[in-house]
Amino acid sequence: MLDQRQHSMLDAMGIQLWSRRQQHQPGDIVDVTQPDEAEEQLHDWESLQQAVETCHRCGLAATRTQTVFGAGNQHAELMIIGEAPGADEDRQGEPFVGRAGQLLNQMLLACGFSREQVYIANILKCRPQGNCNPSPEEMISCRHYLNRQIELVAPKLLLAVGGVAATSLLDSDKPVGQLRGELYHYGGQKVPMIVTYHPAYLLRQPSEKRKSWEDLQFAMRKLGDLS
């Protein structure tokens, strides 16, 4: 169900909430207040993944090749949250598998983690058309899936990579450069969270890798403090 802040956000955008579910096309506004009964009972990984795979809560379901649920250690201490699947992820059904994913793997290895030791997920479970930034309604439609993943993993630390993930999770309009270097807490469980640049951005701006490395070192120190 939407909370008061999310209702206010939709009202401000002039988005009408419908009470009847149907198949949707890209750009359609959908009812995010009436989840199916199966979606209300996402008690375990199996039921959650099935709900994601059959989801039609927004228009992206009409254009996806497949959903991109998440990957990695379901009991990880570190959970990484990105923006949305790209073309490679849409084809393979796994997050961060393109060039940005290769760089992410290298970044993790530099911190002493393999990809299999962390859990990786995205704000959205379907690829936006043309790799556009997710719309507010798309992120709201998908948020309960991500929240449930966080609850099931129960990580000690979240690492939000990129501006879309960071601003969405923090409900902020500040750029990553102003959000990095601080420890935040996400959701009702107050899960510690740190913000850094998206690997795709680092591929375009290699000079910023030093800052990202500083963020990872900060994350490792905090993870050590939380252990």
Side-chain angles (χ1 to χ4, degrees):
M1 298 294 289
L2 293 180
D3 58 28
Q4 185 175 0
R5 179 185 61 79
Q6 291 168 330
H7 274 293
S8 298
M9 181 187 301
L10 291 176
D11 288 341
M13 292 186 294
I15 294 174
Q16 183 178 2
L17 299 178
W18 302 92
S19 59
R20 179 170 59 88
R21 292 176 58 82
Q22 57 185 1
Q23 297 295 314
H24 303 287
Q25 299 300 317
D28 285 352
I29 295 168
V30 302
D31 175 11
V32 296
T33 65
Q34 300 293 331
D36 289 343
E37 181 179 353
E39 292 181 354
E40 293 179 330
Q41 300 178 10
L42 308 179
H43 300 309
D44 53 32
W45 285 105
E46 182 178 0
S47 60
L48 178 59
Q49 185 161 1
Q50 183 178 10
V52 169
E53 290 174 351
T54 58
C55 179
H56 288 81
R57 292 168 65 85
C58 79
L60 296 182
T63 58
R64 71 192 179 207
T65 300
Q66 58 186 317
T67 58
V68 181
F69 181 71
N73 181 359
Q74 294 178 347
H75 304 284
E77 293 186 348
L78 177 64
M79 181 171 177
I80 298 169
I81 302 176
E83 172 185 327
D88 292 324
E89 291 76 16
D90 181 61
R91 284 191 297 269
Q92 299 184 40
E94 185 172 334
F96 283 92
V97 294
R99 291 181 62 224
Q102 294 172 11
L103 178 56
L104 177 63
N105 294 344
Q106 295 172 3
M107 293 164 63
L108 290 172
L109 286 173
C111 296
F113 285 97
S114 68
R115 181 183 176 92
E116 293 72 26
Q117 288 177 299
V118 305
Y119 192 82
I120 306 173
N122 282 314
I123 296 290
L124 293 192
K125 308 307 181 190
C126 299
R127 179 196 180 194
Q129 284 295 288
N131 289 338
C132 296
N133 285 341
S135 68
E137 59 267 30
E138 288 166 353
M139 290 189 284
I140 291 173
S141 297
C142 229
R143 178 60 61 83
H144 68 295
Y145 295 137
L146 177 63
N147 286 342
R148 187 63 182 131
Q149 286 178 304
I150 295 172
E151 291 173 357
L152 289 171
V153 175
K156 292 182 178 178
L157 183 68
L158 299 174
L159 181 64
V161 295
V164 172
T167 56
S168 174
L169 294 173
L170 294 175
D171 190 24
S172 170
D173 58 0
K174 293 182 179 179
V176 172
Q178 294 181 24
L179 292 173
R180 54 181 294 273
E182 300 289 340
L183 183 67
Y184 304 94
H185 293 86
Y186 176 73
Q189 296 180 313
K190 304 296 183 183
V191 183
M193 184 176 76
I194 288 173
V195 172
T196 192
Y197 296 106
H198 196 287
Y201 172 76
L202 298 177
L203 290 172
R204 299 191 301 270
Q205 300 290 338
S207 61
E208 299 288 62
K209 288 183 179 180
R210 177 184 58 80
K211 294 179 182 178
S212 187
W213 174 238
E214 292 173 355
D215 297 334
L216 293 176
Q217 290 179 306
F218 177 45
M220 293 306 100
R221 289 196 301 271
K222 290 301 178 182
L223 194 57
D225 294 341
L226 295 166
S227 299

